[in-house]
Amino acid sequence: MASMELGKTSTCCYVFDIINCEIKTRLVPLLSKQDQVLDLQDVFKRFSFDVICWFSFGIDPSCLELSLPMSKLAMAFDLASKLSAERAMNVSPLVWKIKRALNLGSEKELKRAIERINLLAKEVIRQRRKTGFLNSNDLLSRFMSIINDETYLRDIIISFLLAGRDTVASGLTSLFWLLSKHSNVVSAIKQEADRIIGENKELTCFDQMKELHYLQATVYESMRLYPPIQFDSKFCQNDDVLPDGSVLKKGTRVTYHPYAMGRIEEIWGEDCLEFKPERWLKHDGVFSPENPFKYPIFQAGFRVCLGKEMALLEMKTVTLSLIRRFRIQLLKPPSPGQHPRFLPGLTATFSDGLPVLGTIPEPSLYSLVARKKPGRGIDGLNYPSMHIYLNGTNPNISAVFHRIVTNVEEGDLEYNVKVASPKELSVVVIPKMFKFNGINQNKTFRVLVKGGE
């Protein structure tokens, strides 16, 4: 039933509306606050938890409201996932099995966390029955209309959380880490969006996503190098023989490693370690997927991920919304050759998170276009340290603009800027210091910003 529901266009549109609402009402306002250090990995976890709960169960845990305490369900879920994964770090499985039998240490903690999850999951079901589920759009309500087994419904809740929360957050974290190292990819995504959606226009419907081939290629390439699930296992139901002749007995555990596979030359070629979205595009710029057994990020065959399209939609919508609105600065930009370190877990998690030092509103969203005046070469408006004073209250352009200035003389510069308010705003730009012909100089410019077109 989940497969049928998740494949419907109406469901994709419903998910798109949920994601967009969460972006506009919570994610963007949170990132718009200046002079703060945020862990983007934590932000993405909270975001994806809100979305999966809203879509799957019809509840809003408000995890992205940082002023509110973290959801008890999310906290218990984090602890249970962490402790489950740490079992693999023991010298032998006997260690955790003995601790479980004696109810000691980490196994005692895990037991308590699972009990808490089960209680909270049952409470979600109880609340759904109380408010009514026959006319609701969430997946849990659709299951509840044909299934009465509470244990089964509880397991559905837990599996949806496991599949739809940490994987998306992990994928987004790795993607933004890579984008911080590849500004050319960011520019290409924005150029494609301006061409398909329109300059200064936002996504309005799910169908527009289908035309953003470079964005799709970027997301796929990011997960090739940094898959949310770094390795996975299957068990043989019956005796089998692999294509290379290996004989497998019933019950044999087979583990495959997407993280390693993405770095094997035989599979991806000599440039396998490079971040190249172009490898996914045909000559006409159209996205071309690979064989899922070569790229098992969403698994393959009968076990292909049910929420694949939803996860891709969420990642692409968040990525596009943020890079068109902000220039996100990492607290510690990665050095050449540097790779992230991961915590033990069921999904890939950066050990140090992804701290960002505030976010700078991206002026290109507001159509900042310099008109060249005679004798003045202008390559945008940008100073590392700049104060901007506004005679007005428009928040969209009340920010520091970062562009590169070359050969600009003192005087007036005329700009066309799309702003939310139709009133005219006089902007005085005072750079602290910049280099002009190799000499440090102080300069002052006056810019008149006109509302509307």
Side-chain angles (χ1 to χ4, degrees):
M1 190 174 79
S3 177
M4 288 173 61
E5 290 295 336
L6 289 168
K8 290 180 179 177
T9 301
S10 59
T11 302
C12 291
C13 293
Y14 175 58
V15 174
F16 177 77
D17 290 341
I18 289 173
I19 294 167
N20 252 347
C21 182
E22 184 76 4
I23 288 172
K24 290 178 181 178
T25 60
R26 289 188 178 144
L27 186 58
V28 169
L30 175 64
L31 295 178
S32 295
K33 297 174 183 176
Q34 297 293 307
D35 302 322
Q36 62 175 339
V37 175
L38 281 175
D39 179 0
L40 213 52
Q41 179 171 255
D42 179 59
V43 169
F44 289 147
K45 279 189 175 185
R46 291 168 178 266
F47 175 88
S48 57
F49 192 79
D50 279 358
V51 170
I52 197 66
C53 285
W54 195 347
F55 168 66
S56 298
F57 323 129
I59 61 173
D60 180 10
S62 303
C63 286
L64 207 52
E65 297 284 354
L66 299 188
S67 58
L68 299 177
M70 189 68 166
S71 161
K72 290 180 181 179
L73 180 58
M75 291 174 66
F77 199 79
D78 272 342
L79 181 59
S81 297
K82 174 177 173 289
L83 294 174
S84 297
E86 285 180 354
R87 282 175 168 178
M89 298 179 68
N90 289 311
V91 177
S92 165
L94 283 174
V95 175
W96 66 262
K97 287 180 179 180
I98 292 171
K99 287 164 72 177
R100 182 176 63 178
L102 299 175
N103 197 28
L104 296 173
S106 58
E107 288 299 312
K108 184 178 180 179
E109 276 189 273
L110 177 58
K111 183 180 178 182
R112 285 179 178 172
I114 291 172
E115 287 173 352
R116 213 171 301 136
I117 290 169
N118 290 341
L119 283 172
L120 291 166
K122 286 180 179 179
E123 178 61 19
V124 170
I125 296 167
R126 190 185 72 80
Q127 288 290 341
R128 213 76 205 89
R129 284 208 169 100
K130 184 178 177 181
T131 57
F133 55 83
L134 293 178
N135 296 315
S136 299
N137 289 320
D138 61 277
L139 282 180
L140 178 61
S141 294
R142 299 176 198 189
F143 275 100
M144 289 175 70
S145 64
I146 59 170
I147 295 169
N148 290 317
D149 186 341
E150 291 239 340
T151 302
Y152 188 87
L153 292 171
R154 180 205 69 192
D155 290 347
I156 284 174
I157 289 175
I158 293 169
S159 64
F160 280 170
L161 285 177
L162 187 64
R165 185 242 187 165
D166 288 350
T167 49
V168 172
S170 173
L172 282 170
T173 302
S174 300
L175 176 55
F176 274 82
W177 184 84
L178 282 165
L179 291 178
S180 72
K181 299 174 64 177
H182 299 86
S183 58
N184 59 314
V185 175
V186 175
S187 298
I189 294 172
K190 289 195 286 188
Q191 287 170 13
E192 179 185 63
D194 288 345
R195 188 177 72 254
I196 302 298
I197 302 168
E199 216 173 323
N200 307 312
K201 294 181 180 178
E202 297 186 17
L203 277 170
T204 55
C205 65
F206 165 70
D207 287 336
Q208 287 178 309
M209 271 294 180
K210 299 175 184 177
E211 301 300 316
L212 299 173
H213 295 282
Y214 192 86
L215 176 62
Q216 175 101 338
T218 301
V219 171
Y220 266 68
E221 179 70 350
S222 172
M223 289 192 288
R224 180 185 70 83
L225 288 170
Y226 296 104
I229 306 294
Q230 295 183 335
F231 61 93
D232 196 8
S233 298
K234 306 293 178 191
F235 290 85
C236 288
Q237 282 191 312
N238 301 295
D239 292 350
D240 202 357
V241 179
L242 294 184
D244 69 346
S246 300
V247 177
L248 303 178
K249 296 296 182 181
K250 179 180 178 180
T252 301
R253 176 178 176 173
V254 179
T255 299
Y256 64 101
H257 209 301
Y259 183 93
M261 289 172 67
R263 290 163 167 73
I264 295 177
E265 283 191 25
E266 290 177 48
I267 299 176
W268 293 102
E270 293 181 358
D271 60 353
C272 62
L273 298 181
E274 296 179 36
F275 178 58
K276 288 176 61 176
E278 292 76 14
R279 76 174 75 243
W280 296 89
L281 301 174
K282 295 179 180 177
H283 295 301
D284 55 0
V286 174
F287 174 80
S288 177
E290 288 284 358
N291 185 316
F293 293 95
K294 173 181 176 179
Y295 182 80
I297 306 305
F298 295 101
Q299 306 196 49
F302 294 113
R303 295 293 298 170
V304 70
C305 173
L306 291 179
K308 173 185 174 181
E309 295 307 319
M310 177 181 168
L312 287 169
L313 177 61
E314 190 171 346
M315 288 184 67
K316 289 189 291 185
T317 307
V318 170
T319 302
L320 192 62
S321 297
L322 294 193
I323 67 173
R324 294 186 88 200
R325 283 181 169 91
F326 304 107
R327 190 172 311 109
I328 296 172
Q329 296 180 312
L330 299 191
L331 189 62
K332 293 181 180 178
S335 57
Q338 181 183 345
H339 298 283
R341 296 175 64 86
F342 296 96
L343 291 171
L346 302 178
T347 52
T349 304
F350 283 28
S351 58
D352 298 321
L354 191 65
V356 296
L357 183 61
T359 50
I360 301 166
E362 179 55 72
S364 62
L365 184 65
Y366 309 108
S367 184
L368 223 70
V369 180
R371 288 186 179 175
K372 293 187 179 182
K373 290 196 171 184
R376 296 181 183 175
I378 302 173
D379 186 20
L381 182 64
N382 190 327
Y383 300 96
S385 301
M386 178 186 289
H387 302 287
I388 294 185
Y389 302 95
L390 288 148
N391 295 328
T393 57
N394 188 305
N396 290 340
I397 56 173
S398 179
V400 180
F401 295 149
H402 283 253
R403 290 264 188 244
I404 299 171
V405 173
T406 56
N407 275 343
V408 179
E409 300 175 3
E410 283 184 288
D412 297 344
L413 304 178
E414 187 177 354
Y415 280 77
N416 283 339
V417 183
K418 271 192 176 179
V419 294
S421 170
K423 68 177 289 188
E424 287 193 353
L425 303 174
S426 291
V427 183
V428 179
V429 183
I430 308 174
K432 278 186 177 179
M433 186 77 71
F434 75 107
K435 283 195 174 184
F436 180 70
N437 291 338
I439 303 171
N440 287 329
Q441 297 191 23
N442 287 305
K443 296 267 185 176
T444 301
F445 303 95
R446 181 176 63 80
V447 182
L448 178 66
V449 180
K450 298 176 181 178
E453 293 293 331

